[in-house]
Amino acid sequence: MGKVCIEGVGKFYQHYPSVVAVVTARIGEKANAMAAAWHSALSFEPPLYGVAISPKRFTHDLVLEAGEFGVNFLPLEKAGVIAAVGGSTGREVDKFEVFKIAEDKPVLTSVPILAEAYAAYECKLVSHHIFGDHTWFVGEIVMVHLVEGALTDEGMLDLSSVKPAMYLGADRYVTAWCESLCYLDRKAWTKG
Ligand SMILES: Cc1cc2nc3c(=O)[nH]c(=O)nc-3n(C[C@H](O)[C@H](O)[C@H](O)COP(=O)(O)O)c2cc1C
């Protein structure tokens, strides 16, 4: 099959699918959540996590003011929550109330932790920087919430019990099926 070269990223879906996060923050009584497909681990020691948030989002200023944020990962069967928080703004609705989003208690911060999340990070904001039309927020992970049995003995997501919600673009969601799992020993592959 031939390839084409295009100037410009278009809808910027080429690098998907990727796991979607629900980023949360709280100031006093005001709690909010938004969907974020642009996020990444940045460092082991200290454990740092980054998320790109447009200044247009209500969550943007909430994170700045709170100085902390939550990163929640939902299974595909709860992708409706992602679509809901990614399609509405906390300026107009209380998403937790309207979409009946249940919370677990945070431990070291006040960020909302989604009860339906199979994993979630409580992050303290350590830095932020504007890149183009988004702000890159960097948080130190101070607490990890994890559903029992979500990880294998090797610390990977156990795909036989958790189906992570991944974003493909254009409001389409997929997951990673355990049937596609393959083990490639890097030592064997680098021989010769
Ligand atoms: C699947 C999905 C992924 C998204 N990823 C991002 C993202 O990475 N960064 C961002 O700023 N907005 C992203 N958005 C848009 C925000 O979630 C959306 O604008 C939301 O309504 C903002 O809510 P808020 O105004 O309450 O903060 C995404 C939306 C969806 C549905």
Side-chain angles (χ1 to χ4, degrees), residues 32 34-38 52-54 57-59 86 88-90 95 173:
N32 196 47
M34 65 165 263
W38 296 2
I53 303 179
S54 161
R57 319 297 181 222
F58 180 65
T59 310
S88 57
T89 177
K95 300 188 197 182
Y173 297 83

Side-chain angles (χ1 to χ4, degrees), residues 85-139:
V85 300
S88 57
T89 177
R91 281 188 197 96
E92 289 161 10
V93 287
D94 179 339
K95 300 188 197 182
F96 283 88
E97 196 184 310
V98 172
F99 304 127
K100 298 185 174 41
I101 302 172
E103 286 182 55
D104 284 339
K105 275 202 178 355
V107 181
L108 288 179
T109 65
S110 61
V111 302
I113 298 298
L114 272 52
E116 306 285 8
Y118 60 82
Y121 299 142
E122 290 182 42
C123 299
K124 297 230 187 204
L125 185 64
V126 293
S127 180
H128 67 281
H129 193 90
I130 297 167
F131 291 103
D133 56 11
H134 279 60
T135 303
W136 186 241
F137 290 96
V138 179

Side-chain angles (χ1 to χ4, degrees), residues 4 6 10 19 22 29 37-38 63 75 81 88 90 92 120 125 142 148 151:
V4 291
I6 309 158
V19 168
V22 173
E29 294 294 294
W38 296 2
V63 169
V81 173
S88 57
E92 289 161 10
L125 185 64
V142 292
E148 272 179 46
L151 301 185

